[in-house]
Coordinates of all heavy atoms in Angstrom, one line a residue:
M1 N -24.8 40.9 -7.7 CA -23.7 40.2 -8.4 C -23.7 38.7 -7.9 O -23.8 38.4 -6.8 CB -22.3 40.9 -7.9 CG -21.1 40.1 -8.3 SD -20.6 40.6 -10.0 CE -19.2 39.6 -10.2
L2 N -23.6 37.8 -8.9 CA -23.6 36.4 -8.6 C -22.3 36.0 -8.0 O -21.2 36.3 -8.5 CB -23.8 35.7 -10.0 CG -23.9 34.2 -10.0 CD1 -25.2 33.7 -9.1 CD2 -24.0 33.7 -11.3
D3 N -22.4 35.3 -6.9 CA -21.2 34.7 -6.2 C -20.6 33.6 -7.1 O -21.3 32.7 -7.5 CB -21.5 34.2 -4.9 CG -21.5 35.3 -3.8 OD1 -20.9 36.3 -4.0 OD2 -22.1 35.1 -2.7
M4 N -19.3 33.7 -7.3 CA -18.6 32.7 -8.0 C -17.3 32.4 -7.3 O -16.9 33.3 -6.6 CB -18.3 33.1 -9.5 CG -19.5 33.2 -10.4 SD -20.4 31.6 -10.8 CE -19.1 30.8 -11.7
P5 N -16.7 31.3 -7.5 CA -15.4 31.0 -6.9 C -14.4 32.1 -7.4 O -14.6 32.6 -8.5 CB -15.0 29.7 -7.5 CG -16.3 29.0 -7.8 CD -17.2 30.1 -8.2
R6 N -13.4 32.4 -6.6 CA -12.4 33.4 -7.0 C -11.1 32.6 -7.3 O -10.8 31.6 -6.7 CB -12.1 34.3 -5.9 CG -13.4 35.2 -5.6 CD -13.2 36.3 -4.7 NE -14.4 36.9 -4.3 CZ -14.9 37.2 -3.1 NH1 -14.1 36.9 -2.1 NH2 -16.0 37.7 -2.9
I7 N -10.4 33.1 -8.3 CA -9.1 32.5 -8.7 C -7.9 33.4 -8.6 O -8.0 34.6 -8.9 CB -9.3 32.0 -10.2 CG1 -10.4 31.0 -10.3 CG2 -7.9 31.5 -10.7 CD1 -10.7 30.6 -11.7
E8 N -6.9 32.9 -8.0 CA -5.6 33.7 -7.9 C -4.7 33.1 -9.0 O -4.1 32.0 -8.9 CB -5.0 33.6 -6.6 CG -5.8 34.3 -5.5 CD -5.2 34.0 -4.1 OE1 -4.1 34.7 -3.8 OE2 -5.7 33.2 -3.4
I9 N -4.7 33.8 -10.2 CA -4.0 33.2 -11.4 C -2.6 32.9 -11.1 O -2.1 31.9 -11.6 CB -4.1 34.3 -12.5 CG1 -5.5 34.5 -12.9 CG2 -3.2 33.9 -13.7 CD1 -6.2 33.4 -13.6
E10 N -1.9 33.7 -10.3 CA -0.5 33.4 -10.0 C -0.2 32.1 -9.3 O 0.9 31.6 -9.3 CB 0.1 34.6 -9.3 CG -0.5 34.9 -7.9 CD -1.8 35.7 -7.9 OE1 -2.3 36.0 -8.9 OE2 -2.2 36.0 -6.8
K11 N -1.3 31.6 -8.7 CA -1.1 30.3 -8.0 C -1.4 29.1 -8.9 O -1.1 28.0 -8.5 CB -2.0 30.2 -6.7 CG -1.6 31.1 -5.6 CD -2.4 30.9 -4.4 CE -2.1 31.8 -3.2 NZ -3.0 31.6 -2.1
C12 N -2.0 29.3 -10.0 CA -2.5 28.3 -10.8 C -1.4 27.6 -11.6 O -0.6 28.4 -12.3 CB -3.6 28.8 -11.8 SG -4.1 27.6 -13.0
N13 N -1.3 26.3 -11.6 CA -0.2 25.6 -12.4 C -0.8 25.0 -13.7 O 0.0 24.3 -14.4 CB 0.4 24.5 -11.5 CG -0.5 23.4 -11.1 OD1 -1.6 23.3 -11.7 ND2 -0.1 22.5 -10.2
G14 N -2.0 25.3 -14.0 CA -2.6 24.8 -15.2 C -2.9 23.3 -15.3 O -3.0 22.7 -16.4
C15 N -3.1 22.6 -14.1 CA -3.3 21.2 -14.1 C -4.6 20.7 -14.7 O -4.8 19.6 -15.2 CB -3.1 20.7 -12.7 SG -4.4 21.1 -11.6
G16 N -5.6 21.6 -14.6 CA -6.9 21.3 -15.2 C -7.8 20.4 -14.3 O -8.9 20.1 -14.7
L17 N -7.4 20.1 -13.1 CA -8.2 19.3 -12.2 C -9.6 19.9 -11.9 O -10.6 19.2 -11.9 CB -7.5 19.0 -10.9 CG -6.3 18.1 -11.0 CD1 -5.6 18.0 -9.7 CD2 -6.7 16.7 -11.4
C18 N -9.6 21.2 -11.7 CA -10.9 21.9 -11.4 C -11.8 21.8 -12.6 O -13.0 21.7 -12.4 CB -10.6 23.4 -11.0 SG -9.7 24.3 -12.3
V19 N -11.3 21.9 -13.8 CA -12.1 21.9 -15.0 C -12.8 20.5 -15.1 O -14.0 20.4 -15.4 CB -11.3 22.1 -16.3 CG1 -12.1 21.9 -17.5 CG2 -10.6 23.5 -16.2
G20 N -12.1 19.5 -14.7 CA -12.6 18.1 -14.7 C -13.7 17.9 -13.8 O -14.6 17.1 -14.0
V21 N -13.7 18.5 -12.6 CA -14.7 18.2 -11.6 C -16.0 19.2 -11.7 O -17.0 18.9 -11.2 CB -14.2 18.4 -10.1 CG1 -13.2 17.3 -9.9 CG2 -13.7 19.7 -9.8
C22 N -15.8 20.3 -12.4 CA -16.9 21.3 -12.5 C -18.0 20.7 -13.3 O -17.7 20.5 -14.5 CB -16.4 22.6 -12.9 SG -17.7 23.8 -13.0
R23 N -19.2 20.7 -12.8 CA -20.3 20.1 -13.6 C -21.1 21.1 -14.4 O -22.0 20.9 -15.0 CB -21.3 19.4 -12.6 CG -20.7 18.0 -12.2 CD -21.4 17.5 -10.9 NE -20.9 18.1 -9.7 CZ -21.2 17.8 -8.5 NH1 -22.2 17.0 -8.3 NH2 -20.7 18.4 -7.5
C24 N -20.7 22.4 -14.2 CA -21.5 23.5 -14.9 C -20.7 24.1 -16.0 O -21.2 25.0 -16.6 CB -22.0 24.5 -13.9 SG -20.7 25.6 -13.3
G25 N -19.5 23.7 -16.2 CA -18.7 24.3 -17.3 C -18.2 25.7 -17.1 O -17.9 26.4 -18.0
A26 N -18.1 26.1 -15.8 CA -17.7 27.4 -15.4 C -16.2 27.7 -15.5 O -15.7 28.8 -15.6 CB -18.2 27.8 -14.0
L27 N -15.5 26.6 -15.5 CA -14.0 26.7 -15.5 C -13.4 26.2 -16.8 O -13.7 25.1 -17.2 CB -13.5 25.8 -14.3 CG -13.9 26.3 -12.9 CD1 -13.8 25.2 -11.9 CD2 -13.2 27.5 -12.5
V28 N -12.6 27.0 -17.3 CA -11.9 26.7 -18.6 C -10.4 27.0 -18.6 O -10.0 27.9 -17.9 CB -12.6 27.4 -19.8 CG1 -14.0 26.9 -20.1 CG2 -12.6 28.9 -19.6
L29 N -9.7 26.2 -19.3 CA -8.2 26.5 -19.4 C -8.0 27.1 -20.8 O -8.4 26.5 -21.8 CB -7.4 25.2 -19.3 CG -7.0 24.7 -17.9 CD1 -6.3 23.4 -18.0 CD2 -6.2 25.7 -17.2
I30 N -7.4 28.3 -20.8 CA -7.1 28.9 -22.1 C -5.6 29.1 -22.1 O -5.0 29.9 -21.3 CB -7.8 30.3 -22.2 CG1 -9.4 30.1 -22.1 CG2 -7.5 31.0 -23.5 CD1 -10.2 31.3 -22.0
E31 N -5.0 28.3 -23.0 CA -3.5 28.4 -23.1 C -2.9 28.1 -21.7 O -2.0 28.8 -21.3 CB -3.1 29.7 -23.7 CG -3.5 29.8 -25.2 CD -3.0 31.1 -25.8 OE1 -2.3 31.9 -25.2 OE2 -3.3 31.2 -27.0
S32 N -3.4 27.1 -21.0 CA -2.9 26.6 -19.7 C -3.1 27.6 -18.6 O -2.5 27.6 -17.6 CB -1.4 26.3 -19.8 OG -1.2 25.2 -20.6
V33 N -4.0 28.6 -18.8 CA -4.3 29.5 -17.7 C -5.8 29.4 -17.4 O -6.7 29.4 -18.3 CB -4.1 31.0 -18.1 CG1 -4.5 32.0 -17.0 CG2 -2.6 31.2 -18.5
I34 N -6.2 29.2 -16.1 CA -7.5 29.0 -15.7 C -8.3 30.3 -15.8 O -7.9 31.4 -15.6 CB -7.6 28.4 -14.3 CG1 -9.0 27.9 -14.0 CG2 -7.2 29.4 -13.3 CD1 -9.3 26.6 -14.8
S35 N -9.6 30.1 -16.3 CA -10.5 31.3 -16.4 C -11.8 30.8 -15.8 O -12.1 29.6 -15.9 CB -10.7 31.7 -17.8 OG -10.0 32.8 -18.2
I36 N -12.7 31.7 -15.4 CA -13.9 31.4 -14.8 C -15.0 32.2 -15.6 O -14.8 33.3 -15.9 CB -14.0 31.6 -13.3 CG1 -15.3 30.9 -12.8 CG2 -13.9 33.0 -12.9 CD1 -15.2 30.5 -11.3
I37 N -16.1 31.4 -15.9 CA -17.2 32.1 -16.6 C -18.4 32.2 -15.6 O -18.8 31.2 -15.0 CB -17.7 31.2 -17.7 CG1 -16.5 31.0 -18.8 CG2 -18.9 31.8 -18.5 CD1 -16.7 29.9 -19.7
T38 N -18.9 33.4 -15.4 CA -20.0 33.6 -14.4 C -21.2 32.9 -15.0 O -21.6 33.2 -16.2 CB -20.2 35.1 -14.2 OG1 -19.1 35.7 -13.7 CG2 -21.4 35.3 -13.3
T39 N -21.8 32.1 -14.2 CA -23.0 31.4 -14.7 C -23.9 31.0 -13.5 O -23.5 30.7 -12.5 CB -22.7 30.1 -15.4 OG1 -23.9 29.3 -15.6 CG2 -21.7 29.2 -14.6
Y40 N -25.2 31.1 -13.8 CA -26.2 30.8 -12.7 C -26.3 29.3 -12.6 O -26.9 28.8 -11.6 CB -27.6 31.3 -13.1 CG -27.7 32.8 -12.8 CD1 -27.5 33.7 -13.8 CD2 -27.9 33.3 -11.5 CE1 -27.6 35.1 -13.5 CE2 -28.0 34.6 -11.2 CZ -27.8 35.6 -12.2 OH -27.9 36.9 -11.9
E41 N -25.6 28.5 -13.4 CA -25.6 27.1 -13.2 C -24.6 26.6 -12.2 O -24.6 25.4 -11.9 CB -25.4 26.4 -14.6 CG -26.5 26.6 -15.5 CD -26.4 26.0 -16.9 OE1 -25.5 25.1 -17.0 OE2 -27.0 26.4 -17.8
C42 N -23.7 27.5 -11.7 CA -22.8 27.1 -10.6 C -23.7 26.9 -9.4 O -24.4 27.7 -9.0 CB -21.8 28.2 -10.3 SG -20.8 28.0 -8.8
H43 N -23.6 25.6 -8.9 CA -24.4 25.3 -7.7 C -23.6 25.3 -6.5 O -24.0 24.6 -5.5 CB -25.2 24.0 -8.0 CG -24.4 23.0 -8.6 ND1 -24.4 22.7 -10.0 CD2 -23.4 22.1 -8.1 CE1 -23.6 21.7 -10.3 NE2 -22.9 21.3 -9.1
W44 N -22.5 26.0 -6.4 CA -21.7 26.2 -5.2 C -21.3 24.9 -4.5 O -21.4 24.8 -3.3 CB -22.4 27.2 -4.3 CG -22.9 28.3 -5.1 CD1 -22.2 29.3 -5.7 CD2 -24.3 28.7 -5.3 NE1 -23.0 30.2 -6.3 CE2 -24.3 29.9 -6.1 CE3 -25.5 28.2 -4.9 CZ2 -25.5 30.5 -6.5 CZ3 -26.7 28.8 -5.4 CH2 -26.6 29.9 -6.1
C45 N -20.9 23.9 -5.3 CA -20.5 22.6 -4.7 C -19.2 22.7 -4.0 O -18.9 21.8 -3.2 CB -20.5 21.5 -5.8 SG -19.2 21.8 -7.0
T46 N -18.4 23.7 -4.3 CA -17.0 23.9 -3.8 C -16.0 22.8 -4.2 O -14.9 22.7 -3.7 CB -17.0 24.0 -2.2 OG1 -17.2 22.8 -1.6 CG2 -18.0 25.1 -1.8
D47 N -16.4 21.9 -5.1 CA -15.5 20.8 -5.6 C -14.2 21.4 -6.2 O -13.1 20.9 -6.0 CB -16.2 19.9 -6.6 CG -17.2 19.0 -6.0 OD1 -17.3 19.0 -4.7 OD2 -17.9 18.4 -6.7
C48 N -14.3 22.6 -6.9 CA -13.2 23.2 -7.5 C -12.2 23.6 -6.4 O -10.9 23.4 -6.6 CB -13.6 24.3 -8.4 SG -14.6 25.5 -7.6
E49 N -12.6 24.2 -5.4 CA -11.7 24.6 -4.3 C -11.1 23.4 -3.6 O -9.9 23.4 -3.3 CB -12.5 25.4 -3.2 CG -11.7 25.9 -2.1 CD -12.6 26.6 -1.0 OE1 -13.5 25.9 -0.4 OE2 -12.3 27.7 -0.7
L50 N -11.9 22.4 -3.4 CA -11.3 21.2 -2.7 C -10.3 20.5 -3.5 O -9.3 19.9 -3.0 CB -12.5 20.2 -2.4 CG -13.5 20.7 -1.4 CD1 -14.7 19.7 -1.3 CD2 -12.9 20.9 0.0
I51 N -10.4 20.4 -4.8 CA -9.5 19.6 -5.7 C -8.2 20.4 -6.0 O -7.2 19.8 -6.4 CB -10.2 19.1 -6.9 CG1 -9.5 17.8 -7.4 CG2 -10.3 20.1 -8.0 CD1 -10.3 17.0 -8.4
C52 N -8.3 21.7 -6.0 CA -7.2 22.5 -6.4 C -5.9 22.2 -5.6 O -6.0 22.5 -4.3 CB -7.5 24.0 -6.5 SG -6.1 25.0 -7.0
P53 N -4.8 21.7 -6.1 CA -3.7 21.4 -5.3 C -2.8 22.6 -4.8 O -1.9 22.4 -4.0 CB -2.8 20.5 -6.2 CG -3.2 20.9 -7.6 CD -4.7 21.4 -7.5
T54 N -3.1 23.8 -5.4 CA -2.3 24.9 -5.1 C -3.0 26.0 -4.3 O -2.4 27.0 -4.1 CB -1.7 25.5 -6.4 OG1 -2.8 26.0 -7.2 CG2 -1.0 24.5 -7.3
G55 N -4.2 25.8 -4.0 CA -5.0 26.8 -3.3 C -5.3 28.0 -4.2 O -5.6 29.1 -3.7
A56 N -5.4 27.8 -5.5 CA -5.7 28.9 -6.4 C -7.1 29.3 -6.4 O -7.5 30.4 -6.8 CB -5.2 28.6 -7.8
I57 N -8.0 28.5 -5.9 CA -9.5 28.7 -6.0 C -10.0 28.9 -4.6 O -9.7 28.0 -3.8 CB -10.2 27.6 -6.8 CG1 -9.7 27.4 -8.1 CG2 -11.7 27.9 -6.8 CD1 -10.4 26.4 -9.0
T58 N -10.8 29.9 -4.4 CA -11.5 30.1 -3.1 C -13.0 30.3 -3.4 O -13.4 31.1 -4.3 CB -11.0 31.4 -2.4 OG1 -9.5 31.3 -2.3 CG2 -11.6 31.5 -1.0
C59 N -13.8 29.6 -2.6 CA -15.2 29.7 -2.8 C -15.7 30.6 -1.6 O -15.6 30.2 -0.4 CB -15.9 28.4 -2.7 SG -15.6 27.4 -4.2
P60 N -16.1 31.8 -1.9 CA -16.4 32.8 -0.9 C -17.8 32.7 -0.3 O -18.2 33.4 0.6 CB -16.3 34.2 -1.6 CG -16.7 33.8 -3.0 CD -16.3 32.4 -3.3
F61 N -18.6 31.7 -0.8 CA -19.9 31.6 -0.3 C -20.0 30.5 0.8 O -19.2 29.6 0.8 CB -20.9 31.2 -1.4 CG -20.2 30.4 -2.6 CD1 -20.1 29.1 -2.4 CD2 -19.8 31.1 -3.8 CE1 -19.5 28.3 -3.5 CE2 -19.2 30.3 -4.8 CZ -19.0 28.9 -4.6
E62 N -21.0 30.6 1.6 CA -21.2 29.6 2.6 C -22.5 28.7 2.3 O -23.4 29.3 1.7 CB -21.6 30.3 4.0 CG -20.4 30.9 4.6 CD -20.8 31.5 6.0 OE1 -21.7 31.0 6.6 OE2 -20.2 32.5 6.3
I63 N -22.4 27.5 2.5 CA -23.5 26.6 2.2 C -24.3 26.5 3.5 O -23.8 26.1 4.5 CB -23.0 25.2 1.8 CG1 -22.0 25.3 0.6 CG2 -24.2 24.3 1.5 CD1 -22.6 25.8 -0.7
V64 N -25.6 26.9 3.4 CA -26.4 26.8 4.6 C -27.5 25.8 4.4 O -28.3 25.8 3.4 CB -27.1 28.1 4.9 CG1 -28.1 28.1 6.1 CG2 -26.0 29.2 5.1
I65 N -27.5 24.7 5.3 CA -28.5 23.7 5.1 C -29.6 23.9 6.2 O -29.3 24.0 7.4 CB -27.9 22.3 5.3 CG1 -26.9 22.1 4.2 CG2 -29.0 21.2 5.2 CD1 -26.0 20.9 4.3
E66 N -30.8 24.0 5.8 CA -31.9 24.3 6.7 C -32.7 23.0 7.0 O -32.8 22.2 6.1 CB -32.8 25.4 6.2 CG -32.1 26.7 6.1 CD -33.0 27.8 5.5 OE1 -34.1 27.5 5.1 OE2 -32.7 29.0 5.7
Ligands
SF4_1 S1 -18.4 25.6 -7.1 FE1 -18.8 23.7 -8.2 S2 -20.2 24.2 -10.0 FE2 -19.3 26.2 -9.1 S3 -17.4 26.5 -10.4 FE3 -16.8 25.3 -8.6 S4 -16.9 23.1 -9.3 FE4 -18.1 24.4 -10.7
SF4_2 S1 -7.0 22.9 -10.1 FE1 -6.0 24.8 -9.3 S2 -4.0 24.7 -10.2 FE2 -5.2 23.2 -11.3 S3 -6.0 24.4 -13.1 FE3 -7.6 24.6 -11.5 S4 -7.0 26.6 -10.5 FE4 -5.2 25.9 -11.6

């Protein structure tokens, strides 16, 4: 199973900030509700988690730099 950010819908205020920073198009707003599309193009940058003002997005993966 491909690791993707997790979203707690009830915390989302529909601001769209995460959609704006995501470079792979994985995040979409549908009628002001955030949705995530599983894609191998997610490069786990964690920008969506960092920009979300309500803590609705959690990136469950760890970035390991060797
Ligand atoms: S981790 Fe980065 S690429 Fe993946 S969904 Fe979030 S903003 Fe998009
Ligand atoms: S940044 Fe957070 S609150 Fe705003 S649309 Fe994305 S998940 Fe929802």
Side-chain angles (χ1 to χ4, degrees):
M1 173 86 182
L2 182 64
D3 273 341
M4 292 293 294
R6 296 190 187 129
I7 297 173
E8 292 175 75
I9 296 290
E10 61 280 3
K11 290 185 180 176
C12 176
N13 65 12
C15 69
L17 289 173
C18 58
V19 178
V21 296
C22 180
R23 286 162 277 182
C24 76
L27 298 159
V28 290
L29 274 177
I30 300 171
E31 296 181 358
S32 298
V33 177
I34 196 69
S35 257
I36 192 155
I37 300 165
T38 299
T39 171
Y40 283 98
E41 291 179 20
C42 171
H43 42 261
W44 313 297
C45 63
T46 72
D47 287 351
C48 52
E49 179 183 61
L50 293 173
I51 204 164
C52 180
T54 65
I57 302 184
T58 307
C59 291
F61 31 79
E62 290 182 29
I63 307 296
V64 177
I65 299 171
E66 295 181 346

